[in-house]
Amino acid sequence: MVQTRSLIDENGKRTDGRVIDELRDVKIGVGIIKNADGSAFIEFGKNKIIVAVYGPREVHPKHMALTDKCVLRCRYHMSPFSTDTRKNPAPSRREVEISKVIREALEPAIILEDYPRAAIDVFIEVLEADGGSRCAGIDAASVALADAGINMRDMVSACAAGKVDDKIVLDINDTEDKEGGADMPIAYLPNLNQISLLQLDGILDSTQFNSCIDNAIKGCLKIYEIQRTALMQKYFGNEKEMELKEE
Ligand code: ADP
């Protein structure tokens, strides 16, 4: 990634009007698919993603079952209308890779040993993509897993940081992803203080690398509050949400 034009103006504003440490607007809805055991919808800036969780349920084909723990299966898919140009609906190499890293990001949070010989399926469907869709997908998947009543050690909150105009910025958008200097998506288990996903596209020196991690974790903590509020709102209504805000 080599940046060819400036993406931060003289007032410190980015291409979408945010300042460098500002997250895009994030909204999460819980339990929107009645067929699923758990589900969530996330709007992360212009990203729109729906997640459905099924399970724990019987594994098919049976030989894939594990005797000591549950099999977690994730499918990340971008709909043909989710990008500017029509995207081929067949799974691309990118989607296969993102499905794998999302599974690995979620696995440490799930108590898989509680469901031996079973499977949990997580379907992540991107309806509109605007950069950072894997992070937004993880955020919604974690909420959908909790909504499905799956035993979990922690939530998984994900957010990217990156380098634009040689500055470390929070939550890279599509333009910054394509034209900026670096993109580092991170998934974080806020209560266990563990990172379960760290990818880097671009070049950073060690100071920038550490600063990206610190910034991304700050973003993840903000996302965590939004995830918590969304779950509380579904299960306890607005009253509990007000109590949480007052704390
Ligand atoms: P992420 O969405 O997690 O940042 P990438 O960095 O691979 O993943 O992609 C960045 C953005 O590029 C996506 O959010 C999407 O807006 C765009 N994009 C990805 N794949 C395609 C595609 N096949 N066609 C058009 N745009 C795409």
Side-chain angles (χ1 to χ4, degrees):
M1 286 170 104
V2 179
Q3 195 175 333
T4 52
R5 66 167 176 129
S6 176
L7 296 173
I8 301 180
D9 70 15
E10 59 282 1
N11 301 317
K13 294 283 172 77
R14 294 154 67 181
T15 51
D16 52 13
R18 285 181 292 151
V19 291
I20 55 171
D21 58 352
E22 193 176 337
L23 206 61
R24 285 173 284 184
D25 282 341
V26 181
K27 286 187 202 134
I28 301 178
V30 188
I32 32 106
I33 300 174
K34 295 284 167 270
N35 277 339
D37 295 309
S39 58
F41 174 66
I42 189 165
E43 273 186 68
F44 200 124
K46 284 190 264 173
N47 288 292
K48 291 188 182 62
I49 301 172
I50 208 156
V51 177
V53 169
Y54 295 84
R57 62 181 178 182
E58 215 173 305
V59 187
H60 292 291
K62 277 203 160 65
H63 68 82
M64 282 183 70
L66 300 173
T67 51
D68 57 340
K69 62 177 183 175
C70 180
V71 179
L72 179 66
R73 298 186 289 209
C74 293
R75 189 190 84 144
Y76 163 99
H77 182 251
M78 280 171 76
S79 66
F81 52 83
S82 62
T83 52
D84 292 346
T85 49
R86 178 185 179 273
K87 191 225 148 247
N88 186 331
S92 62
R93 282 180 60 160
R94 173 181 169 273
E95 286 164 301
V96 173
E97 183 213 311
I98 294 182
S99 300
K100 175 186 178 283
V101 299
I102 290 181
R103 174 173 55 73
E104 289 171 351
L106 295 172
E107 258 172 357
I110 303 171
I111 309 178
L112 295 170
E113 303 75 35
D114 282 359
Y115 312 106
R117 297 185 191 85
I120 297 170
D121 291 301
V122 180
F123 296 96
I124 299 168
E125 194 64 32
V126 180
L127 306 179
E128 192 171 342
D130 184 39
S133 64
R134 79 193 64 198
C135 289
I138 290 170
D139 295 329
S142 181
V143 169
L145 283 162
D147 182 43
I150 305 292
N151 295 347
M152 292 167 78
R153 297 183 176 88
D154 202 347
M155 290 294 284
V156 186
S157 308
C159 181
K163 184 173 72 171
V164 175
D165 288 13
D166 273 328
K167 290 193 176 76
I168 301 304
V169 303
L170 181 64
D171 183 20
I172 298 279
N173 65 32
D174 195 30
T175 311
E176 293 168 337
D177 187 332
K178 290 184 175 120
E179 299 184 38
D183 174 26
M184 182 195 277
I186 279 191
Y188 181 64
L189 280 63
N191 296 296
L192 297 173
N193 190 23
Q194 281 176 12
I195 290 175
S196 62
L197 166 82
L198 194 161
Q199 295 186 290
L200 174 60
D201 182 8
I203 297 170
L204 298 173
D205 65 30
S206 60
T207 316
Q208 291 169 337
F209 183 86
N210 288 328
S211 172
C212 261
I213 293 183
D214 292 344
N215 269 281
I217 288 178
K218 278 185 201 147
C220 291
L221 291 171
K222 288 182 191 160
I223 303 277
Y224 174 56
E225 285 311 317
I226 300 167
Q227 292 172 309
R228 231 161 76 98
T229 308
L231 282 164
M232 287 290 183
Q233 196 168 16
K234 178 178 175 199
Y235 288 99
F236 302 105
N238 288 334
E239 213 176 293
K240 193 75 192 171
E241 194 191 345
M242 295 306 289
E243 277 175 32
L244 267 175
K245 279 189 183 146
E246 280 162 19
E247 273 173 25

